[in-house]
Amino acid sequence: MNKNKQTLARLQETPRLLLHRRDSEDLILTTAARAEQDQTVVSAATRMLAAMARREPGSMELLLDILPDAFPWVRFLPEADLHAFAVELVDTMRAADSLGNSASVAQLLIAWQHTAEVYSDPELLAALTRDHGDDYGPVPDPRDVA
């Protein structure tokens, strides 16, 4: 951003600019109108998906059928978890849309993808699901540790 006028002129040619920063996270620069348009599109898609999932008979089955196209890693989830993911995804998208903040949707996708990773690796799944037999007692509150 050390060349403000040149940077802003480039923004007229493209919907958004990626600004690389040396000492911090990169930024995406866009206009307020473009950001509002993007939010409107995401909100509309979320509302349509949620309405379809709630109202249309057989829509949950359709959603379950198309999830592997959108998220190939769901193939590793057991059927009950795939259904739980679909319901949680729609509900979280609706809630996030009501706040205008998609961070919870991104976190949900990451968490479920990690769950699928565990199911995809038989050794890891066995290690995480076997009974270790030992109870090490209550865990101390980390805020109390100085």
Side-chain angles (χ1 to χ4, degrees):
M1 282 296 297
N2 60 356
K3 298 177 183 174
N4 294 351
K5 289 183 181 182
Q6 290 173 338
T7 301
L8 293 177
R10 287 185 53 209
L11 191 56
Q12 299 301 317
E13 303 166 7
T14 183
R16 55 191 59 81
L17 292 175
L18 177 62
L19 302 177
H20 296 287
R21 300 191 308 169
R22 281 176 277 205
D23 299 332
S24 193
E25 186 177 7
D26 292 345
L27 299 174
I28 293 180
L29 181 64
T30 191
T31 64
R34 174 62 72 164
E36 189 175 325
Q37 288 173 351
D38 291 348
Q39 181 58 38
T40 299
V41 170
V42 170
S43 181
T46 296
R47 290 174 188 202
M48 288 188 313
L49 175 65
M52 182 191 77
R54 281 194 324 265
R55 293 186 188 145
E56 194 63 35
S59 62
M60 185 53 74
E61 289 74 23
L62 175 61
L63 181 59
L64 292 171
D65 285 344
I66 64 171
L67 278 176
D69 291 331
F71 308 105
W73 47 262
V74 302
R75 287 179 170 85
F76 295 110
L77 294 174
E79 189 173 333
D81 283 354
L82 177 59
H83 190 272
F85 167 64
V87 170
E88 193 173 352
L89 179 61
V90 171
D91 290 346
T92 303
M93 288 176 69
R94 284 186 64 228
D97 180 56
S98 73
L99 297 173
N101 185 336
S102 61
S104 58
V105 177
Q107 182 57 43
L108 174 88
L109 291 170
I110 291 166
W112 276 104
Q113 185 173 7
H114 288 315
T115 300
E117 287 178 69
V118 170
Y119 280 110
S120 74
D121 184 337
E123 290 179 26
L124 181 57
L125 181 61
L128 293 174
T129 57
R130 79 171 175 259
D131 183 10
H132 295 283
D134 294 325
D135 183 353
Y136 296 102
V139 176
D141 188 330
R143 295 172 292 194
D144 296 337
V145 178

